[in-house]
Structure formats: C-alpha cells, structure tokens
Amino acid sequence: MKILKNLAVIFSLIIISTACKQNNTEDETKEFSVDFEKITLDNGLQVILHVDKSDPVVAVALTAHVGSAREKEGRTGFAHLFEHLLFLESENLGKGGLDKMSARIGGSGANGSTSRDRTNYFQTVPKDALEKMIWAEADKLGYFINTVTEPVLAKEKQVVKNEKRQRVDNQPYGHNSYVINKNLYPEGHPYSWEVIGSLEDLQNATLDDVKEFYRRWYVPNNVTLTIAGDIDVDQTKAWVKKYFDEIPKGEEISETEKQPVILKSSKRLFYEDNFARLPRLTMAWPGVPQYDKESYALSILTEYLSAGKKAPLNKVLIDQEKLTDRVNFYQNNSELAGQIMLSVTAFNQTDLNAVSTALSDGFKDFELNGISDKDLNRIKAGQETSFYNRLSSVLGKGFQLAQYEIFAGDPSFINQDVKNILKVTPEDVMNVYNKYIKDKHYIATSFVPKGQIDLVLDNSQLASVVEEKIVDGAEESFDPSINATYEKTPSNFDRSIEPSYGESPELNIPEVWKQNLDSGLSILGIENTEVPLVQFELQIEGGLLLENKHKVGVSNLLANLMTKGTKSKTPEELENAIQSLGARINAYATDTNITISGTTLSKHFDETIALVDEILLEPRWDENEFELLKASTKSSIKRRKGNPNSIASYEFAKIIYGDNNILAYSNSGTEDSVESITLTDLQDYYNKYLSPQLAKMFVVGSISQDKVIEALKTMDSNWESKEVEIPELPFAKVPDASKVYFYDVPGAKQSVIRFGYPALKATDENYYASTVMNYRLGGGGFASQLTQQLREGKGYTYGIRSGFSGSNYTGEFTISSGVRTNVTFESADLVKEILENYGKNYSEEDLEVTKGYTIKSTARAFETLGAKLNMLSNIGNYGLKDDYAKQRETIVKNMSVNDVKLLIDNYIKPNKMIYLIVGDAETQLDKLENLGFGKPILLNK
C-alpha cells in the first residue's frame, strides 16, 4: 500500500463584484480548506479520505472509470445495465445485496449513475455503519460476478428497458439526444450512441458479455473509493486494506486518447414527436473535452448569451420577437470530446425558421458588443456560491474529489479549476465564440408535434428513430425465485460475517432560535458555520387557496412577476444586482403559499435581504413583463399536456377533490384562465392577501440571530399588516367504492398509474405513524413490497412508490409508477393484491426492518442546509416541537405489529380508491374491467 502525503486544498475564490466596486471596498479573498488524504493500494485501488465531523454520517462512493464510451458497438447500454446488476447480489452480501443492508443500517439508499465515462455507486450512512459499507463495497467489486445468472440478467434487462421507456420513449423530445449524438459524432465514435443504449442491444446482452465486461473494467486499478465524513482516518485505512487488499489487480488499462470531432458540413433533421405539443429547435456544435483550457470561456459564453434579461439571445427571442420563453445554451463536456448545445422550445405553431433567424440576430449582437468586464464579473460572482453549494454535504465533497482524481489526475486540481474560471477575460470569451460557434458547422434538429411538419427548419431530412411497438407477451419470461449456485471465491478470512456496528452516533438536533416581529412576521433560524452560506425561505400562506376557481393562476403569475423588477430597478437591473452578490432569489407559488427563497454568501446577507425587501414591498408591475409571463405560462401548460406524468397529476387532482374544491385545479391555471387574468387581478391579490401575519421566515446558515433580525428591520417596519382569512376547503371524501379512470395517450410506451384517495393532513396525530407504516409497502425503495414484486419480481417497472403527503389543509395517499404498456392490467391487479394482503402479512420482521431504517436514518436527517431548512418549515408550519425528531424516534421504538396493522386497516383501502391510468386506450382500456371495479371511465373521449 502506497501512502501519499496529506494534502490540503486551498480554494482561493476571488470575487470581483460590481457591488464591491460601487461601494469602494477592496476585493475579498475567501479561503476554504478541504483536507484529504490519498492512498493507493498495491492492487491499484485509489482511495481518497476526507474528515468532516459536522454530522455523524459518512458518504462512501465507489467510482469505476468506465461508462458507455467503453462499450462495444452492438452492446450499447451495457455499462448502465451493469450498474443495475451490481446492486442485486454478491457472494457475501447475499440476494438483495446492498439494498437490503441499506434499509437495516439507515442509509440514504444505495444508488448509482452511469455517464459516458464513469459509473459510480454511492450512499450516505450513519457513521456506525462505515465498516459495513467498506465490507459491502469490497464484496461488490471483488465477489460479485459468480452471482449473475441467466434469470438475474433477464429480469434486469426488463428493468433497464422500462427505465428507457420512462425516461426516453414516453417523454416529449425523448429521442432528441439520440438523433443529435448519432449525427454529431462519426460512426464508431464512443459518444455516437446513448448511455442507456437501444432496446435491441439491451435484449441481446449475454451472460458472457457481463463476465467479460466485469473482468476488464471492474478491477481495483480502474476504481476510486472515496470516503468522506465523520471518520477515524487510521481505522478507516485499516478497514480498506482488510477488505480490498486481496482483490486482484486487473490488466493494465491505458489512458484514453481524446477524440475531438470536426464536422465537414451542417446537417438539419426533423422528427414528428408523439408526445411533443410545441416545436423545439436544437443545435449542436463540436466543443472541447472536460477541463480543457477553453471550456471555462465557453461556459461563460453560453451563460452570458442565454441567461437573464441582458443575454443577447434572450433579448431577441424573448423580448423582441416573442418566439419563446426560454433559451437553453450549455456545454456537455466529457472525457474524450465535448459538445455545445443550444435548445429553444418555441411557442405554439411557431415556425422554427423564425427561431433560427432570431438566433442569428442575437449572435450578431454579441459579435458587435462582446461581453463587458462588468458582466464577466457578474457571471464569475455566481461561481463562489455554486462551489460552496456543491460542498454542502459529505457526499458532495466525495463526488468532487473523485471527479478530479479520475478526469484531472489529481483531487487537488479543484484549486486550479477555480483559478481557470476566474482568469477568463472578455477576449477569451470572444475567441471561443469565433473558434467554435461563428460560421461553424452544426447539427440542427426540429422536433415538432404530429402533423406540424410545416414548422421544421428548411432543408431538413427525416431523422431515423426506432419506435417500439406495443405487443402483448413480447418480453421473455424469467423466474426470479431461482437462487444462483456457484463456488465461492477464496479469501484469506471469512467474508460472510457482516461486520458489527461501531459506536452508535448521537442524534444531533440543531439548535433553533425563534423570534416574532412587531408586524406579525415569525422568524425561525439555525446558525451553522460549516460553509459560508445562508439559505432562506419567506413563506406567505395562501397561494392557490385564496384564488377564484374561475380565474386560476393569479398567485403563480404574481410570484413570478415579483422578481421581474422593482419600483426603482428595471428587471435587468434587479437581476444584475442579485447576480453581482453571487446570490440567487426565486419566487414561486404553491397550492398553499407564495414563497420567496434564496441562497447567498453570509457576507452578502444584508444586501440580499435588502433586495428581497424591494421585491416584496416595492413591486414594479411591469406590463411588458406581465405579458411575457402570460405567454410563458400558457406555453408551459401546453407543453405539460404532452407529458403523461403531468397529465396523471392534473387528472388525479380533479378526480380526488371535485369541481368545488380549489385544489382540483393546477395553480398554473389553464390556457384560457391565464389569458383572462389582468395585471389588476395580480395587484388585487397582492393588496388583499400578502400579509406578514400569514408569513414565516426560515433562515439557515453562517449567520447569527442578531444579524438576521437586524437585516429584517425594513421588512418588519414597512410591510403593512392586514387580517386575511383562509377559506375553509370542501371536504374531500374517500370514495365509497373503487373506480377505474383512463386517460388516452395513443401510442404510449408506458402506462402511468396514479392510485389513491384523500387521506391524513400533515397535522393529524396519526400522520407520521402512517408514513412509518407505509415504509414496507412502498415508501422504502428496495425494502418495499411494491418495488420487490413489480420491479424485482416481475420486471414490470423501473420504479414504484407509495406515500402519504399532506399540509395543514389536506392530505393524500398515492401510489405512482410507470409500467410497461403491455402489462398495464397485470401491474394494476398486482398492486391491488399487495394492498389487500399488506395487513394480513405484516410481520415482526417487517417492523424490525422499518424500525432499523427509521431510527438509524435520523443520524443524517439534518446534514445539509436544505435539510435544516425543511426542519424549520416542519416546526413553523405544523406546530412541531424543536426536538420532534426525538419524539418521532420514541413513537417508532414503541410501535408494535398490532399498532401497524391497525393503521393499515384504517388508512390502506384498496376497495375505496381511485385507480387512474394514463396510457394507450386502444390496447389497454378494456382489460382493466377485469380489476372488478366496473367498466373503466375514459376521461378524454
């Protein structure tokens, strides 16, 4: 084992902000240190250790330097398929692998991801489970392959194909990436196929392919293990050596050569998209690999051209021509090559040739004016905040260190990475524009709704896309109950013995401070100095609840308009003021409130809150921005009409609440209701309903109570207090008998299921206990029966969940999933069967697993600023005690099997539910009558 000296990475982040210059203060340099130790085992395994004792948790990540780029043609999607297989079983973890152990130890849930160039496996666990995690990760790496059998492979193929259907085939514009990459990269280039692969290639994968892939790439000398959190370094190194050291080194793996792309000509393609409701133009240019010296200027270029009121492309496409509500421009940089992506989803019936012309006009504006030092510094200012956000969890720290180790050759490159951003000049930005964008060849795709070919770019060719046909019985069958038989891999100690727990961590509940201001505004805060950031939320009760059902969408438009300028600042000036502080301020509406939220550096909290004061107390009421927002909202509503998941949410609410309940409506409204709303409607809502007496401010981060209260003085003094009464909602009644509803999406490759009924409010005394009861049903991921039977047992779905959700006003129990179209009835029938038997079969083992997860997972309940903010929201909105986590721990410890069964009897009602399916009616509707709930009701005849 080679031990390298301890390294300290010092991040010198120099923010040259407009605000600093205006105030004649000196530029500030903030140093933030992340200490780590890197060791290399004799078998080549790279290990990075980082100590962070702010919470009693540890993040463990295993990253293999292999992704889709190292696949063979004809076996696309294999790296991602392999990621799935590695979770299922290993010789000593046994069947269910890490997923079962995660439930017992209170982990965040074993997860993974695959990119073009790497595959990672990660989880955050209580610190007493660290040795267990090291043992488990070693078992996956060195003692896995013998457990993969033909039935295991057959089942996981179905799961991955369901994932592709859910994320690609059944989504608007889902095939766009495939068309772009196939044409941007030459045949045979490792980026010319998709990470998820093709259905045909996935089906053709063999057991021999799996073994060959494992032996070539899943070897210690191609893997980095990152451990970050509350650890003892010497003990951790001893455990790593014990469990990983004897795993044999693999063949030498040579460094991959860069494979840049040069297009010889531009190419235009089009496709009629079954799910799209609006036309979309996408353009792609060859770019640069990850961490290339020119990637930093390109990053600033794409942000400057497309983000905010001052962006040249936005000025033309949004403000002047009113062709769209958003321009997306970004880099997709990978290890071997990169690409520059520009995407515009245009308004309804917009000719994409007009979009192309407007883009050219925006580029010409940039060519004439370039980027100023002021704008360059404004964009750089956001980098500091983004950087700290990425490091706000131990898992985030671990990810960053592994990323630099694998793709930059050294974790300490993060220091140079930041410097590379900060030294970009206006000349650099113009140079990369001229080199990679101006007059350069590109790939352009026009994805348009069915029957709207007249909107595509001129001279476009039809793109080649393979669409799956819906065929009953098309998938091969498998028996998931068959256990693998194999000879275990020899080891110098008994690896079948799972390590014992370490010392149990104490539940560290953050200290909460509270203060009520004279205006009625209630403040709750937590001071936390781990990173120099502050996050806040100002929640104003009301939202959709205070709207007229005949003109829904007012609160949503109002919230969005609030950040479009103030009385003394134009929209552009306000945006610049926020960005110059490196801050983010957002306003949005929900069913129950309007929220202004933000993130800022602690040193800029006062200035950020001063801007919030303006946003809240001095609205601009900009008529032009209001009309732009209306157009944007109508476009968004139109777009969601093509998304089966959005359709399911909208239709489920209508059924569950009925016409007389405002919650039956989406807070975005409808295209007609939004069109009817006037600026006066927004002003009336603002004047009547925005009151500090309905408001709560939650503040978390590196700032004291005194400083928060001082910053809020203007808001407290100037915000007019008024009495506002929230209307009482009509009672949402549980159905007397179950009914099946169907919404037809012709040609859907999956059926979206949404089953449920009105249930407990968040304030109900049984609400939390019911969420605990649901853990083994559908709230525990791979520990739940729904997942085990529909995904692992049958291969019907990529994922399924059930859960209780609630507020002060209402509650729901829902089951949601996307299932393979040709097993829609079988899936619904199996869900019904599981619900019917859940209470009968609930056992002591179920309760033991539930208690183990629920109690142990509290160790990581408040790790991030976001988690602490959620804690304050629970206390402030639902009247929970500051130590509610400990109270809930007591509830769980005292629960008996009979207690759970009583909750199941009261709150799981399979015969008094709404069964909603969004899918292909032609092939699936009639079968659903066999559920026994009568003839299905077709909602969109």
Side-chain angles (χ1 to χ4, degrees):
M1 178 171 66
K2 302 171 187 174
I3 301 181
L4 304 183
K5 66 179 180 179
N6 188 43
L7 299 174
V9 182
I10 305 295
F11 305 100
S12 297
L13 301 174
I14 304 169
I15 303 304
I16 309 169
S17 73
T18 305
C20 288
K21 289 186 176 181
Q22 289 173 341
N23 294 328
N24 295 318
T25 60
E26 295 182 0
D27 300 338
E28 297 183 49
T29 299
K30 179 69 179 178
E31 290 192 346
F32 182 76
S33 174
V34 175
D35 297 320
F36 68 87
E37 183 169 335
K38 176 183 167 183
I39 64 175
T40 304
L41 301 191
D42 292 339
N43 57 15
L45 181 74
Q46 301 293 326
V47 184
I48 303 171
L49 306 175
H50 165 68
V51 179
D52 179 344
K53 294 186 176 292
S54 57
D55 292 281
V57 297
V58 183
V60 180
L62 191 78
T63 306
H65 190 177
V66 58
S68 60
R70 283 176 158 165
E71 295 166 346
K72 297 178 180 178
E73 287 190 83
R75 289 295 183 267
T76 65
F78 204 86
H80 177 245
L81 172 63
F82 198 88
E83 174 213 319
H84 279 244
L85 290 170
L86 206 62
F87 283 109
L88 301 180
E89 185 175 358
S90 56
E91 293 181 15
N92 301 291
L93 270 167
K95 201 165 186 177
L98 194 53
D99 291 317
K100 283 188 175 180
M101 193 182 86
S102 297
R104 288 188 285 104
I105 66 177
S108 59
N111 210 338
S113 69
T114 305
S115 73
R116 288 169 164 172
D117 305 304
R118 63 103 188 102
T119 308
N120 62 1
Y121 307 86
F122 51 89
Q123 182 167 201
T124 302
V125 300
K127 71 174 186 178
D128 65 343
L130 175 58
E131 186 182 3
K132 291 177 183 286
M133 280 297 298
I134 295 172
W135 166 75
E137 293 298 336
D139 209 52
K140 284 164 54 182
L141 181 62
Y143 304 86
F144 151 78
I145 196 62
N146 291 337
T147 67
V148 183
T149 62
E150 293 288 0
V152 168
L153 180 59
K155 186 270 297 181
E156 208 57 30
K157 285 180 188 178
Q158 306 298 358
V159 172
V160 173
K161 288 193 285 185
N162 284 326
E163 181 179 358
K164 182 178 184 293
R165 294 181 186 108
Q166 179 173 314
R167 293 186 171 181
V168 178
D169 301 346
N170 219 49
Q171 290 295 316
Y173 319 107
H175 294 293
N176 192 29
S177 176
Y178 165 80
V179 175
I180 288 282
N181 293 331
K182 185 179 179 182
N183 289 278
L184 181 66
Y185 296 99
E187 185 175 353
H189 193 289
Y191 294 165
S192 64
W193 55 80
E194 298 301 279
V195 172
I196 203 163
S198 73
L199 293 176
E200 181 181 2
D201 285 357
L202 288 168
Q203 189 56 47
N204 291 337
T206 69
L207 194 56
D208 286 340
D209 293 330
V210 172
K211 292 181 177 180
E212 179 188 352
F213 194 86
Y214 170 78
R215 289 173 182 139
R216 181 71 184 103
W217 303 114
Y218 276 79
V219 290
N221 48 305
N222 197 44
V223 169
T224 298
L225 175 68
T226 311
I227 301 173
D230 189 356
I231 63 173
D232 178 294
V233 172
D234 290 337
Q235 178 62 79
T236 302
K237 286 192 289 188
W239 284 333
V240 169
K241 183 173 174 57
K242 173 182 177 180
Y243 293 110
F244 280 94
D245 218 22
E246 68 172 329
I247 301 173
K249 185 176 184 178
E251 297 176 27
E252 290 296 329
I253 296 173
S254 58
E255 202 171 310
T256 50
E257 301 249 340
K258 305 299 181 191
Q259 298 186 40
V261 173
I262 300 174
L263 290 177
K264 294 181 179 179
S265 62
S266 293
K267 192 172 184 179
R268 298 179 172 196
L269 302 114
F270 77 90
Y271 184 69
E272 289 183 89
D273 192 313
N274 185 50
F275 300 97
R277 294 298 177 266
L278 298 170
R280 173 179 289 182
L281 173 65
T282 305
M283 301 178 72
W285 293 264
V288 298
Q290 197 167 32
Y291 305 131
D292 183 273
K293 63 181 181 180
E294 292 182 314
S295 65
Y296 304 94
L298 278 167
S299 177
I300 289 174
L301 171 71
T302 54
E303 183 174 347
Y304 175 67
L305 285 172
S306 64
K309 297 298 293 182
K310 198 169 185 179
L313 296 180
N314 286 0
K315 283 187 174 181
V316 179
L317 278 90
I318 298 175
D319 295 338
Q320 296 173 19
E321 300 300 328
K322 297 179 173 52
L323 300 172
T324 183
D325 62 339
R326 184 176 306 167
V327 178
N328 292 314
F329 204 9
Y330 58 95
Q331 291 185 95
N332 182 10
N333 295 344
S334 303
E335 184 178 17
L336 308 181
Q339 58 202 72
I340 305 163
M341 304 292 296
L342 193 160
S343 179
V344 178
T345 303
F347 289 147
N348 190 34
Q349 296 292 329
T350 297
D351 190 331
L352 293 179
N353 289 288
V355 173
S356 179
T357 300
L359 287 170
S360 296
D361 291 342
F363 285 141
K364 288 175 185 175
D365 177 271
F366 174 71
E367 291 167 18
L368 288 172
N369 301 304
I371 181 172
S372 67
D373 284 322
K374 182 178 179 181
D375 288 319
L376 181 61
N377 290 330
R378 169 176 58 85
I379 292 173
K380 288 179 182 179
Q383 301 300 319
E384 186 176 13
T385 304
S386 297
F387 169 73
Y388 286 130
N389 273 326
R390 289 197 298 271
L391 296 181
S392 65
S393 69
V394 289
L395 188 59
K397 294 182 181 78
F399 276 164
Q400 285 298 108
L401 292 169
Q403 176 81 2
Y404 290 111
E405 164 63 24
I406 293 171
F407 298 116
D410 188 348
S412 64
F413 179 79
I414 196 168
N415 188 37
Q416 186 59 45
D417 201 17
V418 173
K419 289 179 180 177
N420 289 345
I421 294 169
L422 295 174
K423 70 182 182 183
V424 172
T425 67
E427 291 74 23
D428 294 332
V429 178
M430 183 59 74
N431 287 341
V432 293
Y433 170 77
N434 289 325
K435 185 174 180 179
Y436 295 102
I437 303 294
K438 185 180 180 181
D439 300 328
K440 296 300 183 287
H441 296 308
Y442 57 83
I443 304 298
T445 61
S446 303
F447 270 59
V448 297
K450 290 278 189 181
Q452 296 185 20
I453 299 178
D454 57 315
L455 302 180
V456 306
L457 279 188
D458 292 341
N459 304 314
S460 292
Q461 303 170 8
L462 178 64
S464 174
V465 174
V466 178
E467 291 270 15
E468 183 187 22
K469 293 181 180 179
I470 302 169
V471 180
D472 284 344
E475 306 292 349
E476 63 180 302
S477 60
F478 57 87
D479 184 353
S481 65
I482 298 175
N483 290 317
T485 56
Y486 50 84
E487 185 176 338
K488 293 187 74 170
T489 305
S491 175
N492 57 25
F493 66 98
D494 187 355
R495 288 179 175 268
S496 66
I497 300 173
E498 181 177 328
S500 58
Y501 285 106
E503 184 180 348
S504 294
E506 289 187 19
L507 177 57
N508 295 331
I509 297 178
E511 184 178 345
V512 177
W513 59 262
K514 302 174 184 177
Q515 191 160 334
N516 293 322
L517 304 186
D518 293 341
S519 61
L521 179 63
S522 175
I523 318 294
L524 287 83
I526 295 172
E527 184 174 356
N528 179 271
T529 58
E530 184 180 349
V531 289
L533 283 180
V534 180
Q535 290 184 7
F536 60 88
E537 278 189 2
L538 174 63
Q539 294 182 4
I540 309 166
E541 198 171 1
L544 179 64
L545 296 173
L546 294 168
E547 294 198 43
N548 181 335
K549 72 175 185 177
H550 299 296
K551 197 177 269 195
V552 173
V554 172
S555 62
N556 178 62
L557 283 172
L558 171 60
N560 284 304
L561 188 62
M562 291 175 80
T563 55
K564 305 299 181 184
T566 66
K567 188 177 292 184
S568 61
K569 289 183 176 68
T570 65
E572 185 177 312
E573 288 169 344
L574 176 61
E575 190 175 80
N576 289 341
I578 295 169
Q579 292 177 352
S580 294
L581 297 173
R584 293 189 182 91
I585 300 175
N586 300 303
Y588 58 90
T590 69
D591 287 352
T592 58
N593 61 57
I594 287 176
T595 296
I596 301 174
S597 66
T599 301
T600 185
L601 296 165
S602 52
K603 63 186 178 184
H604 293 323
F605 182 74
D606 289 359
E607 295 160 287
T608 304
I609 292 299
L611 293 175
V612 172
D613 290 339
E614 285 192 53
I615 289 167
L616 177 66
L617 304 176
E618 302 173 14
R620 186 173 183 82
W621 306 121
D622 190 299
E623 187 74 47
N624 182 58
E625 291 295 328
F626 173 63
E627 292 301 326
L628 287 172
L629 274 174
K630 285 179 65 172
S632 172
T633 304
K634 288 187 291 183
S635 179
S636 176
I637 294 167
K638 183 83 172 177
R639 194 160 53 240
R640 290 198 296 269
K641 287 181 178 179
N643 187 313
N645 288 296
S646 297
I647 294 169
S649 296
Y650 181 71
E651 296 295 330
F652 187 76
K654 288 201 299 185
I655 297 167
I656 201 170
Y657 291 113
D659 289 341
N660 292 326
N661 192 320
I662 193 67
L663 294 179
Y665 302 87
S666 165
N667 79 319
S668 295
T670 65
E671 290 175 84
D672 289 339
S673 71
V674 170
E675 181 60 35
S676 71
I677 294 171
T678 67
L679 195 56
T680 301
D681 293 323
L682 271 62
Q683 291 168 333
D684 287 345
Y685 187 107
Y686 173 87
N687 291 324
K688 289 180 182 177
Y689 300 136
L690 265 60
S691 170
Q693 294 197 9
L694 289 180
K696 298 178 181 69
M697 183 73 152
F698 308 121
V699 183
V700 173
S702 185
I703 192 165
S704 67
Q705 178 179 354
D706 289 343
K707 288 184 177 179
V708 172
I709 300 304
E710 181 66 27
L712 292 172
K713 276 187 175 180
T714 299
M715 187 182 299
D716 184 41
S717 301
N718 297 342
W719 193 0
E720 180 187 353
S721 186
K722 63 196 77 145
E723 294 290 335
V724 179
E725 184 177 345
I726 305 291
E728 188 172 335
L729 293 172
F731 180 69
K733 186 182 176 186
V734 174
D736 294 327
S738 291
K739 288 185 180 180
V740 181
Y741 299 85
F742 201 102
Y743 189 100
D744 184 25
V745 177
K749 301 301 184 283
Q750 278 195 324
S751 294
V752 174
I753 65 173
R754 193 67 52 89
F755 304 159
Y757 49 86
L760 302 166
K761 296 178 182 179
T763 51
D764 191 287
E765 63 177 354
N766 285 330
Y767 180 80
Y768 176 69
S770 295
T771 66
V772 176
M773 170 268 287
N774 175 67
Y775 180 78
R776 289 289 268 178
L777 175 61
F782 286 90
S784 69
Q785 291 187 21
L786 289 171
T787 296
Q788 283 299 313
Q789 294 198 46
L790 271 84
R791 172 173 163 152
E792 300 300 295
K794 297 292 186 181
Y796 288 166
T797 182
Y798 170 57
I800 183 168
R801 62 188 57 83
S802 65
F804 293 87
S805 59
S807 68
N808 290 315
Y809 302 97
T810 187
E812 299 173 9
F813 172 77
T814 54
I815 299 170
S816 58
S817 183
V819 302
R820 200 171 73 232
T821 290
N822 60 6
V823 290
T824 301
F825 162 72
E826 291 82 354
S827 300
D829 194 47
L830 182 53
V831 170
K832 175 189 168 190
E833 180 184 326
I834 292 168
L835 293 174
E836 289 172 341
N837 294 325
Y838 187 50
K840 301 174 192 174
N841 298 334
Y842 197 90
S843 66
E844 288 287 352
E845 181 187 354
D846 290 320
L847 183 59
E848 182 183 351
V849 171
T850 299
K851 286 185 174 184
Y853 170 80
T854 308
I855 293 170
K856 284 191 167 293
S857 65
T858 55
R860 55 181 177 79
F862 310 117
E863 183 200 356
T864 64
L865 294 182
K868 293 178 177 71
L869 206 59
N870 184 62
M871 171 188 169
L872 293 181
S873 181
N874 285 336
I875 294 169
N877 289 321
Y878 306 135
L880 301 180
K881 302 292 186 182
D882 294 357
D883 65 345
Y884 72 86
K886 285 189 175 179
Q887 294 179 347
R888 287 178 169 182
E889 192 175 89
T890 301
I891 290 172
V892 174
K893 285 179 177 178
N894 292 335
M895 287 180 83
S896 67
V897 170
N898 286 335
D899 292 332
V900 176
K901 288 191 171 188
L902 183 60
L903 290 167
I904 295 170
D905 288 343
N906 287 336
Y907 302 117
I908 302 298
K909 304 175 182 294
N911 296 311
K912 293 185 177 181
M913 283 178 60
I914 294 159
Y915 288 76
L916 170 65
I917 295 97
V918 177
D920 182 67
E922 182 180 358
T923 60
Q924 304 305 311
L925 177 64
D926 292 341
K927 300 176 188 177
L928 290 164
E929 191 168 352
N930 294 323
L931 282 174
F933 299 134
K935 193 174 181 66
I937 300 166
L938 186 60
L939 296 172
N940 58 331
K941 296 180 181 178

